[in-house]
Amino acid sequence: MSTSMNIKKTLKDNTIFIALVVVMLFFQILITATGNGSLFSPGNIKNLINQNAYVVVLATGMLCCILTGGNIDLSIGSIVCLVGAIAGTLIKNMGCNIYLSILICLVVGILIGAWHGMWIAYIHIPPFIVTLAGMLLWRGVALIILNGLTISPLPDKYLALFSSYIPFSGNGTYAVTMIIAAVCCAAYIVMEVISRSNKQKKGYDVPGIAGFAAKIVVLCAVIMFVAHLLGQDQGIPVILIIVAVIVAIYAYYTKNTVSGRYLYALGGNAKAAQLSGVNTDKVMFFAYTNMGFLSAVAALICVARFNSAAPTAGTNYEMDAISSCFIGGASAYGGTGKVSGAVIGAIFMGVLNNGMSILGIDSNWQKAVKGLVLLLAVLFDVASKKRKGGK
């Protein structure tokens, strides 16, 4: 493959990342010019991470649903509200053990996801209908549990699980943060080199060495830059580590496991996948059960972030997750998309929200802009399909 083709492929594969960088620089210029501070201030980067952690978690689960054929889950905001209500009731009102309460909340999320998965996978009711019913049902149950009231505050021991920072003391914060970032970069480089080597041995096409090296250099530079900013504040948020572990697990699962590839096979051609021996019902059941589990994780994160369980929690969270996936390159038809793309899409939406808020742009205009961005992302997907002679 020629150098020019390598460059074109690299640019095409990283379109959303390039767009994210451009948007961040655009907001930085505007914010600096208007005297509203800086988008890249340590405190703002920390807030960006804390405010969008739940979106990344939900987008990761939503991607698995979308991969199965463009299916979505409309109930996740209501599940977040319900699980949050259960967490608040158990931990605050009933004084239950924190870890037992977390376990119960995760089990509830799994059971709700399995409930949806049963109707979708085995009774073959369309996901839109099942999750729309779930959106109404679980929100109603949450309101019954809360009785219209907000439960707060939560114990400091619970908040520390999601809202603390590493290192835990103020001594050597910057040095420890940079060391952790350097170790993460080294681990990432080793994993990428091994992955590339394995692909070459199996005869797969791999990017040119220049594009491969450029990708590693850019991502490591981003990691070190973010660590540099966080090190000047309180260090690395624990929630960032939790989210990074979740993203890494699902990125590996969807990319390197047989059952993970079944999600793509189902979305690419369900009939062909079934004839090839793939249990498509089981794959669909997993996707929605998993979505329930990650919704519960997001609920626990939100309860800690807001230090409360409120009746309005989770409102429009499903829209944030869906938008993140489509902006991150997931196909509206299914079968195409990456966890990394969904994460970048979530960050993209977070930067839009954060940048426009700093500039003092009216919330109504913010919604209009986000809606337009989502439409353009889906339009790009449709146009790509047409160029390839697809649907």
Side-chain angles (χ1 to χ4, degrees), residues 281-356:
D281 289 346
K282 185 178 179 181
V283 174
M284 188 69 80
F285 180 79
F286 163 78
Y288 281 89
T289 301
N290 175 69
M291 187 72 257
F293 166 71
L294 289 180
S295 296
V297 174
L300 295 172
I301 292 172
C302 290
V303 168
R305 179 193 164 205
F306 296 115
N307 195 14
S308 66
T312 56
T315 303
N316 292 330
Y317 281 15
E318 58 278 352
M319 298 298 107
D320 293 333
I322 294 168
S323 300
S324 298
C325 291
F326 288 141
I327 291 172
S331 173
Y333 303 108
T336 302
K338 295 180 180 179
V339 171
S340 58
V343 172
I344 293 174
I347 297 172
F348 191 98
M349 294 295 287
V351 169
L352 280 180
N353 287 329
N354 190 262
M356 289 189 291

Side-chain angles (χ1 to χ4, degrees), residues 31-384:
I31 292 170
T32 303
T34 55
N36 289 308
S38 171
L39 184 69
F40 298 112
S41 66
N44 195 52
I45 294 298
K46 178 188 71 175
N47 291 335
L48 194 62
I49 292 170
N50 290 331
Q51 290 170 5
N52 294 280
Y54 78 90
V55 182
V56 174
V57 173
L58 291 175
T60 301
M62 188 66 74
L63 177 69
C64 294
C65 297
I66 292 173
L67 288 176
T68 62
N71 301 304
I72 57 176
D73 190 333
L74 295 174
S75 68
I76 59 176
S78 296
I79 298 174
V80 167
C81 184
L82 173 58
V83 174
I86 293 172
T89 300
L90 291 173
I91 297 172
K92 173 68 176 178
N93 294 353
M94 300 177 64
C96 289
N97 178 272
I98 290 175
Y99 300 103
L100 176 60
S101 300
I102 291 174
L103 178 60
I104 291 172
C105 289
L106 294 177
V107 170
V108 168
I110 292 171
L111 291 176
I112 292 174
W115 170 263
H116 291 163
M118 177 193 70
W119 294 108
I120 294 168
Y122 299 111
I123 311 301
H124 299 117
I125 299 176
F128 182 88
I129 301 300
V130 173
T131 57
L132 178 61
M135 179 176 71
L136 301 173
L137 171 61
W138 308 125
R139 178 71 64 174
V141 175
L143 294 176
I144 291 170
I145 292 174
L146 292 172
N147 196 27
L149 303 175
T150 297
I151 299 175
S152 66
L154 278 297
D156 291 339
K157 186 177 180 182
Y158 174 78
L159 300 179
L161 294 175
F162 300 95
S163 304
S164 56
Y165 296 85
I166 295 175
F168 299 108
S169 66
N171 298 325
T173 298
Y174 184 82
V176 172
T177 302
M178 296 304 292
I179 290 172
I180 293 175
V183 170
C184 290
C185 288
Y188 169 72
I189 293 171
V190 170
M191 289 172 60
E192 284 295 309
V193 170
I194 293 174
S195 176
R196 177 183 168 85
S197 177
N198 289 337
K199 287 180 180 179
Q200 286 179 318
K201 289 178 182 178
K202 294 176 182 178
Y204 296 149
D205 289 334
V206 295
I209 190 65
F212 176 73
K215 176 184 174 182
I216 288 179
V217 169
V218 170
L219 287 178
C220 288
V222 169
I223 291 172
M224 296 304 293
F225 178 66
V226 172
H228 166 70
L229 294 176
L230 293 176
Q232 296 178 51
D233 196 39
Q234 294 174 280
I236 301 174
V238 170
I239 191 60
L240 177 60
I241 296 175
I242 295 173
V243 170
V245 169
I246 292 173
V247 168
I249 290 173
Y250 280 88
Y252 180 85
Y253 174 78
T254 55
K255 187 177 180 181
N256 298 303
T257 67
V258 174
S259 55
R261 301 310 296 178
Y262 284 167
L263 293 167
Y264 290 91
L266 178 57
N269 191 322
K271 199 68 177 177
Q274 196 170 27
L275 292 173
S276 300
V278 177
N279 188 333
T280 54
D281 289 346
K282 185 178 179 181
V283 174
M284 188 69 80
F285 180 79
F286 163 78
Y288 281 89
T289 301
N290 175 69
M291 187 72 257
F293 166 71
L294 289 180
S295 296
V297 174
L300 295 172
I301 292 172
C302 290
V303 168
R305 179 193 164 205
F306 296 115
N307 195 14
S308 66
T312 56
T315 303
N316 292 330
Y317 281 15
E318 58 278 352
M319 298 298 107
D320 293 333
I322 294 168
S323 300
S324 298
C325 291
F326 288 141
I327 291 172
S331 173
Y333 303 108
T336 302
K338 295 180 180 179
V339 171
S340 58
V343 172
I344 293 174
I347 297 172
F348 191 98
M349 294 295 287
V351 169
L352 280 180
N353 287 329
N354 190 262
M356 289 189 291
S357 296
I358 293 175
L359 291 172
I361 296 175
D362 184 77
S363 61
N364 296 321
W365 279 105
Q366 291 186 32
K367 292 177 182 178
V369 170
K370 290 189 288 184
L372 182 60
V373 169
L374 175 59
L375 179 61
L376 291 175
V378 176
L379 181 62
F380 179 80
D381 172 54
V382 172
S384 300

